[in-house]
Amino acid sequence: MQVLWAAERFASVVDYDSWEHSLLEDEAIAQHVLAGMLVPVRLGDSAFQFVVRVGDSDEMAHLSVREQAHLVVVSDPYLIISAGALHLSGLEHVSATPDQRVLHVAAPAGRYAATVNLLDWESEPGSRTPSGDPSPHALPDFVLLLNPAAWPEPAYRQSLETLPPPPGSSA
């Protein structure tokens, strides 16, 4: 599971035992989601590419026209609370002191509505090189959009299952 998280909210996670106590079980992770400390991106084991955009009251974060053309599904908004920075990593890297394996995201202090947007990057012509690897200009798998929370705030998504099934699927 990949997660967007706020380090200051995990100040007590300083070693494996404290990580296990705070993040091993789904029930514990769900409590962090409910508190606005963590946004799950749970879609199984694989390597994914991410883009995170942070909006503000003057300019909201949004998908590009190109990304919109390849959008598969978007999550309902999750609450995430920032004290000035957020982090994106595998769940196993959540700690009081984020290291170099963690993507650092500048997000001014505040409450954000975070949506997870899944793109079908492979459907775009030229998305793969002749050897089958993603081309340098390929779209990411996910675009996370963070926008200031609206007032009154909506009922935020609390599920560890990040995305609803794609339209037309039998799931």
Side-chain angles (χ1 to χ4, degrees):
M1 177 186 319
Q2 299 295 310
V3 292
L4 180 68
W5 52 282
E8 64 280 353
R9 303 289 190 141
F10 294 94
S12 64
V13 179
V14 296
D15 57 21
Y16 181 75
D17 289 338
S18 57
W19 180 92
E20 185 177 67
H21 176 74
S22 186
L23 292 158
L24 183 64
E25 301 295 329
D26 281 354
E27 296 80 25
I29 298 168
Q31 290 304 310
H32 298 307
V33 172
L34 180 65
M37 304 159 104
L38 183 143
V39 173
V41 183
R42 187 179 207 170
L43 293 167
D45 294 332
S46 189
F48 296 111
Q49 293 293 317
F50 290 85
V51 167
V52 181
R53 291 192 191 108
V54 180
D56 60 31
S57 59
D58 293 330
E59 186 172 346
M60 301 295 273
H62 61 279
L63 295 176
S64 70
V65 171
R66 187 172 157 224
E67 291 163 344
Q68 289 174 15
H70 299 282
L71 179 64
V72 175
V73 66
V74 59
S75 73
D76 289 332
Y78 284 91
L79 173 65
I80 187 79
I81 301 169
S82 174
L86 297 170
H87 309 283
L88 180 70
S89 70
L91 182 65
E92 67 275 13
H93 299 296
V94 174
S95 72
T97 54
D99 62 23
Q100 72 280 358
R101 296 172 287 191
V102 172
L103 174 67
H104 299 269
V105 179
R111 297 169 68 86
Y112 292 89
T115 57
V116 179
N117 299 267
L118 173 62
L119 305 181
D120 180 9
W121 65 272
E122 293 177 290
S123 68
E124 184 176 50
S127 64
R128 289 202 178 269
T129 64
S131 64
D133 295 323
S135 69
H137 69 277
L139 291 167
D141 297 282
F142 296 97
V143 178
L144 280 67
L145 300 177
L146 283 63
N147 284 301
W151 189 256
E153 288 189 338
Y156 290 106
R157 186 169 183 84
Q158 297 173 10
S159 175
L160 296 185
E161 299 306 320
T162 308
L163 297 169
S169 73
S170 59

